[in-house]
Amino acid sequence: MEIVVALLMIVNNEIKEHRIQESMSICLKHKRIASRGETGTNIQHQCIRSKAELEDNIDGSKSIKKLILE
């Protein structure tokens, strides 16, 4: 379990996708880019710092297995 900065895509008040970001500033940059490209009204993007269970990918990168929201 680690503390990560994650960019969330929230659709109809449900987390549909989450991506690990290097820092909060990079997350906010990606949030702005994603928000400009979305045309749906029920889609939100949010940056959070949270505990998460991570898993290793085949290419050696890490991805979020489960967010622990407190």
Side-chain angles (χ1 to χ4, degrees), residues 5-66:
V5 174
L7 175 59
L8 308 179
M9 181 174 77
I10 303 167
V11 180
N12 294 327
N13 296 322
E14 184 178 335
I15 298 172
K16 292 292 185 181
E17 190 173 329
H18 40 66
R19 302 279 180 172
I20 295 174
Q21 303 295 306
E22 294 177 22
S23 67
M24 188 59 78
S25 63
I26 290 173
C27 185
L28 292 170
K29 176 183 175 184
H30 290 159
K31 176 186 171 188
R32 282 191 301 275
I33 293 167
S35 295
R36 288 180 193 146
E38 295 295 337
T39 57
T41 57
N42 293 330
I43 300 173
Q44 299 175 351
H45 296 88
Q46 182 177 0
C47 292
I48 64 166
R49 181 173 281 123
S50 177
K51 290 182 186 176
E53 287 184 24
L54 303 178
E55 61 186 359
D56 293 323
N57 296 324
I58 293 172
D59 64 357
S61 63
K62 293 188 180 275
S63 63
I64 297 171
K65 183 176 181 181
K66 182 170 85 172

